Amino acid sequence: NPHKGVAAGCDELRYLVKEHGFKMVKLHPNFHTYFPNKAKNLSYPILEEVQKLGIALMIHTGDTPFSLPSLMAPLARDFPQVPILLGHMGVQKLALSDDAINVGMHYDNVFLEMSWGPLNRVKEAVEFLGTDKLIFGTDSPFNDVGVHARIIDVLGQPPPWGMKLSRADREKILYKNAEHLLGLLFQCREVARVSSAIPR
């Protein structure tokens, strides 16, 4: 929460990244009541620190008035080296996936985190952005992990439900894109189990 002190927050972020290997920070403009595109005194120092540390930024999207996906476009423009994940692909409480997809189309450093995204919106994201810009997410425990994993499975099926998406593309969405963005080598047995369940 930048209202509690941006400098102190950046100090804590540096500590967590350097001492504990944190790979990403999340901003929640709606919970903390600020427009990230306008309140630059709150958001930009965090983006600057994220850029210096070489980590990623996730921003909650899908609520009014502070978390519309389009409000994140100036951040993506002004910090092109920072990977920015639009949380919930703009869907959480409002149907703003079109807005999130549009921002992703215009900025190479913008990715869509898929929790709350229903199958049809995910298919639209694949159609317009390809599979390199989608990151599997669940927002668990609010949502069932299996429901979101099933969406990725269905993408591999033929139309009208699926898109005949290849196993390689589904694995990108499931974990390889995140692995690349965050510099991780996943060793989570659950991720491996879900991945191995994807039909070839």
Side-chain angles (χ1 to χ4, degrees):
N1 182 353
H3 288 298
K4 292 194 171 186
V6 173
C10 288
D11 287 345
E12 181 71 8
L13 180 58
R14 277 192 298 275
Y15 168 75
L16 292 171
V17 170
K18 292 178 180 179
E19 299 299 325
H20 296 284
F22 277 45
K23 300 290 186 179
M24 182 165 51
V25 64
K26 181 175 180 179
L27 298 181
H28 204 306
N30 244 54
F31 271 171
H32 301 140
T33 63
Y34 66 98
F35 287 102
N37 60 323
K38 293 180 181 178
K40 293 183 180 181
N41 61 313
L42 298 177
S43 59
Y44 274 46
I46 297 168
L47 270 289
E48 289 166 3
E49 193 61 42
V50 165
Q51 183 169 272
K52 288 176 192 173
L53 292 168
I55 61 172
L57 176 77
M58 183 186 291
I59 303 179
H60 172 89
T61 64
D63 293 306
T64 59
F66 304 106
S67 294
L68 303 176
S70 58
L71 299 181
M72 314 313 163
L75 282 65
R77 179 197 64 215
D78 293 343
F79 295 90
Q81 303 305 313
V82 173
I84 297 176
L85 284 70
L86 301 183
H88 318 304
M89 55 186 294
V91 172
Q92 193 185 40
K93 291 183 180 176
L94 298 170
L96 295 171
S97 59
D98 290 337
D99 193 24
I101 290 168
N102 187 50
V103 176
M105 288 173 62
H106 285 88
Y107 297 96
D108 292 339
N109 59 324
V110 170
F111 303 83
L112 272 58
E113 183 271 331
M114 296 167 43
S115 63
W116 294 86
L119 177 62
N120 286 343
R121 302 294 78 80
V122 171
K123 286 166 67 175
E124 288 173 357
V126 171
E127 180 182 348
F128 285 98
L129 298 175
T131 56
D132 291 335
K133 296 193 118 195
L134 299 180
I135 308 291
F136 175 71
T138 66
D139 210 12
S140 179
F142 298 103
N143 293 331
D144 185 335
V145 174
V147 169
H148 291 281
R150 177 65 178 153
I151 287 173
I152 296 175
D153 178 36
V154 172
L155 293 175
Q157 297 179 14
W161 308 115
M163 305 177 76
K164 284 192 173 179
L165 209 61
S166 71
R167 179 184 175 92
D169 278 331
R170 285 176 283 147
E171 287 183 344
K172 279 186 191 177
I173 295 170
L174 184 61
Y175 68 95
K176 288 189 175 178
N177 290 340
E179 186 178 70
H180 174 71
L181 279 180
L182 303 178
L184 295 172
L185 179 59
F186 283 136
Q187 296 176 350
C188 174
R189 280 179 283 187
E190 185 63 19
V191 170
R193 184 190 66 75
V194 172
S195 176
S196 66
I198 296 176
R200 294 187 183 272

